[in-house]
Amino acid sequence: MSVNLPSPLFGAVEAGGTKFVCAVGRGPDDLPAVTRFPTTTPEETLARTLAFFREQPTTPVAVGVGSFGPVDPDPHSPTYGHITLTPKPRWSNVDVAGALREGLGVPVAFDTDVNAAGLGEHRWGAAQGLDTFLYLTVGTGIGGGGLAGGRPMHGLVHPEMGHIFVPRAPGDTFAGACPFHGDCLEGMASGSALEARWGRPAAELPADDPAWPLEAHYLAYGIANFILTLSPQRIIVGGGVMRRPRLLPMIRQKVKTILNGYVKAPTFDDLDAYLVPPALGDRAGVLGALAMAQELA
Amino acid sequence: MSVNLPSPLFGAVEAGGTKFVCAVGRGPDDLPAVTRFPTTTPEETLARTLAFFREQPTTPVAVGVGSFGPVDPDPHSPTYGHITLTPKPRWSNVDVAGALREGLGVPVAFDTDVNAAGLGEHRWGAAQGLDTFLYLTVGTGIGGGGLAGGRPMHGLVHPEMGHIFVPRAPGDTFAGACPFHGDCLEGMASGSALEARWGRPAAELPADDPAWPLEAHYLAYGIANFILTLSPQRIIVGGGVMRRPRLLPMIRQKVKTILNGYVKAPTFDDLDAYLVPPALGDRAGVLGALAMAQELA
């Protein structure tokens, strides 16, 4: 007589600067519980996270966290799993992974929000089978992560791709909205930058607004630089700003113009399959955190 | 009675667009034969390469090649080991690795010139013990390679870091010298670009020439972008243009100004140990090719 043991439940936390998303489950079609709540103080936010997992019928066997940052994703470091020196008030030096590990008594995997989303797309979405790809998010800020040669991108700290510098559009005199760099990519093309430049949120700008060709200029130069630096097999572009329907096609066209035939690969004849939206949509982050927990177990 | 077998000899080829360097040996202090000759036609150049190895007292057991490009470094590809579509006349679609493998009857490892130089520095030079670092060369052209997460940087094809786009220096109206992109980094800051802009080779420009602060501007923006995109643990900067004594300190200063404290790591307090010249000097490329041959055997 055989006994069918239920497959274990895993936990996932998408720790965003604006909201936390927590889930338990086994994959995109098996998420029995999901919750989201605003990011307030570390104490309150981590307490709500712990409460969510504790109220589940069974405790998850491991938890994955994809976090806003900057973070310390180095498992050999004494501050592994911490948010480090973030401009977000009260969140500097907060041990997110430690709070969950101690509070739940289970192992916790920890990485950047964008590496987590990239892992989600790698496991179940638009990056399946690839070993070098990027996941970019263009929202309140701009960030990038993914795999290089099959490994999550870390290095000295972790990439801060949103802050690279690209050429200005001709005649553009906007000073930029990044408190560190002014007119870096995030300072010119993030949701915050759009709102600072045009006086209203990106979602409220009309489809024919001159904001959009300019937005495509900056994002296309950023993406061209990432292509030339990393040679990714595919780039997934998500985030709130990318919900604008005509934006991704405009970016594809501009990237082709910028590269001017220099990168020779069949996929560059038509960037429709190269520059793509996340197959998992808004769930890439939390599902990536789930994949991280599963890899840990 | 024991017999001391001599350790085997390895072969190395630094296949440059201007010259080839070939060597046999076992490491930086054990290179019994080295030769260099100009890169002419593929037939003549590869024949001289084969002749060099054939005239050695013992045939090397494996050969490594670091090649100018673009190349195909994917061992699973039918055109692995080829130079692909290069602007260099007659060298497109040349099977460099195949010519050596068939001509010598030994295994051949193949990668970009900059990945090879990076491997040389990783084995014997300034990148020992690091798993994510860059090797940049600023010479006739600009190129970059190295390791990301312990793996040579490949991806879809391989990086073409020299062709990223960075902000112009205020008031700079030079159109740029890159035939593909005009004012990309290589178009503004390579040795060819310096000569096109100033009317004489970089080596002939005086130490106090305004060319040098401008050169530091472009290279510093390029390096800042690489830091933000890849988070390398160290960046090694070689190539003919970098022989100018005061250039690297100027670049370090400018990189600090550009990043403006955004990247938090102890090594960023003082970039002297972060942005460094190649410890192997001009021999990084050929020694890296030797390391590749040794890893193959």
Side-chain angles (χ1 to χ4, degrees):
Chain A
M1 200 177 93
S2 72
V3 178
N4 285 322
L5 288 172
S7 68
L9 272 183
F10 297 90
V13 180
E14 181 185 354
T18 307
K19 68 174 193 301
F20 268 47
V21 183
C22 303
V24 293
R26 300 173 188 88
D29 303 320
D30 183 4
L31 282 182
V34 181
T35 188
R36 57 199 75 212
F37 43 84
T39 308
T40 58
T41 64
E43 296 72 22
E44 183 181 45
T45 312
L46 293 172
R48 288 187 77 165
T49 304
L50 285 171
F52 167 79
F53 288 116
R54 286 177 178 148
E55 77 197 14
Q56 301 307 317
T58 49
T59 307
V61 296
V63 174
V65 182
S67 178
F68 77 99
V71 300
D72 183 347
D74 175 5
H76 305 295
S77 160
T79 55
Y80 169 65
H82 289 53
I83 292 171
T84 54
L85 287 168
T86 175
K88 190 172 171 69
R90 306 191 56 177
W91 280 86
S92 284
N93 305 312
V94 169
D95 183 6
V96 174
L100 297 177
R101 193 170 48 237
E102 285 158 33
L104 299 171
V106 299
V108 174
F110 183 85
D111 211 329
T112 62
D113 43 9
V114 279
N115 271 350
L119 286 172
E121 291 288 328
H122 187 251
R123 179 74 169 273
W124 293 297
Q128 292 178 58
L130 306 182
D131 72 11
T132 302
F133 70 91
L134 286 189
Y135 179 93
L136 299 178
T137 178
V138 186
T140 311
I142 298 180
L147 298 184
R151 310 273 178 94
M153 295 179 64
H154 290 145
L156 180 67
V157 190
H158 54 72
E160 287 283 358
M161 298 188 194
H163 292 269
I164 68 164
F165 298 85
V166 299
R168 282 177 169 266
D172 185 0
T173 58
F174 178 58
C178 173
F180 287 90
H181 309 119
D183 64 355
C184 69
L185 182 61
E186 178 166 303
M188 297 303 270
S190 65
S192 307
L194 285 170
E195 186 161 354
R197 185 201 281 261
W198 303 102
R200 48 187 164 157
E204 293 176 17
L205 293 166
D208 60 352
D209 197 279
W212 298 114
L214 205 54
E215 181 72 1
H217 165 98
Y218 287 106
L219 293 177
Y221 268 101
I223 287 169
N225 278 0
F226 299 141
I227 292 170
L228 292 160
T229 305
L230 283 159
S231 195
Q233 295 158 310
R234 185 168 291 151
I235 299 180
I236 300 162
V237 198
V241 172
M242 296 307 300
R243 292 204 192 98
R244 174 69 46 163
R246 293 290 308 150
L247 183 55
L248 191 55
M250 286 169 72
I251 294 170
R252 287 191 190 111
Q253 191 53 51
K254 182 77 181 169
V255 167
K256 274 192 87 153
T257 304
I258 292 169
L259 293 179
N260 194 26
Y262 187 71
V263 178
K264 308 281 188 198
T267 184
F268 276 79
D269 296 340
D270 172 3
L271 292 178
D272 287 8
Y274 185 81
L275 274 178
V276 301
L280 303 176
D282 289 345
R283 303 197 305 163
V286 72
L287 285 168
L290 193 76
M292 286 162 56
Q294 290 174 326
E295 284 177 22
L296 199 63
Chain B
M1 199 177 95
S2 71
V3 178
N4 283 322
L5 287 172
S7 69
L9 273 183
F10 297 90
V13 180
E14 181 185 354
T18 307
K19 68 175 193 301
F20 268 47
V21 183
C22 303
V24 293
R26 300 173 188 90
D29 304 320
D30 184 3
L31 283 182
V34 182
T35 187
R36 57 198 75 213
F37 43 84
T39 308
T40 57
T41 65
E43 296 73 20
E44 182 180 47
T45 312
L46 293 172
R48 288 188 76 164
T49 304
L50 284 172
F52 167 78
F53 288 116
R54 286 176 177 147
E55 77 197 14
Q56 300 307 317
T58 49
T59 307
V61 297
V63 174
V65 182
S67 178
F68 76 100
V71 301
D72 183 347
D74 175 5
H76 303 109
S77 161
T79 54
Y80 170 66
H82 290 52
I83 293 171
T84 54
L85 287 167
T86 175
K88 191 173 172 66
R90 306 191 54 177
W91 280 86
S92 284
N93 305 313
V94 169
D95 182 5
V96 174
L100 296 177
R101 192 170 47 237
E102 285 158 33
L104 299 172
V106 298
V108 174
F110 184 84
D111 211 329
T112 62
D113 45 7
V114 280
N115 271 350
L119 286 172
E121 291 288 328
H122 187 250
R123 179 74 168 273
W124 292 297
Q128 291 178 60
L130 305 182
D131 72 11
T132 302
F133 69 91
L134 286 189
Y135 179 93
L136 299 178
T137 179
V138 186
T140 312
I142 298 180
L147 298 184
R151 311 273 177 92
M153 296 180 64
H154 290 146
L156 181 67
V157 191
H158 54 73
E160 287 283 0
M161 297 187 195
H163 292 268
I164 68 164
F165 298 86
V166 298
R168 282 178 168 267
D172 185 0
T173 58
F174 179 58
C178 173
F180 285 91
H181 310 120
D183 63 354
C184 68
L185 182 60
E186 178 167 304
M188 297 304 270
S190 66
S192 307
L194 286 170
E195 186 161 356
R197 184 202 281 261
W198 303 101
R200 47 186 165 158
E204 294 176 17
L205 292 166
D208 60 351
D209 197 280
W212 298 114
L214 205 54
E215 181 71 2
H217 165 98
Y218 287 106
L219 294 177
Y221 268 101
I223 287 168
N225 278 0
F226 299 140
I227 291 170
L228 292 160
T229 305
L230 283 158
S231 196
Q233 294 158 310
R234 185 169 292 152
I235 300 181
I236 300 162
V237 198
V241 172
M242 296 308 300
R243 290 203 194 99
R244 174 69 47 164
R246 293 291 307 150
L247 183 54
L248 191 54
M250 286 169 72
I251 295 170
R252 286 190 191 113
Q253 192 53 51
K254 182 77 181 168
V255 167
K256 274 192 87 153
T257 304
I258 292 169
L259 292 179
N260 194 26
Y262 187 71
V263 178
K264 308 281 187 197
T267 184
F268 276 78
D269 295 342
D270 172 3
L271 293 177
D272 287 9
Y274 185 81
L275 274 178
V276 301
L280 303 175
D282 289 345
R283 304 197 304 163
V286 73
L287 286 168
L290 193 75
M292 287 162 57
Q294 290 174 326
E295 283 177 23
L296 199 64

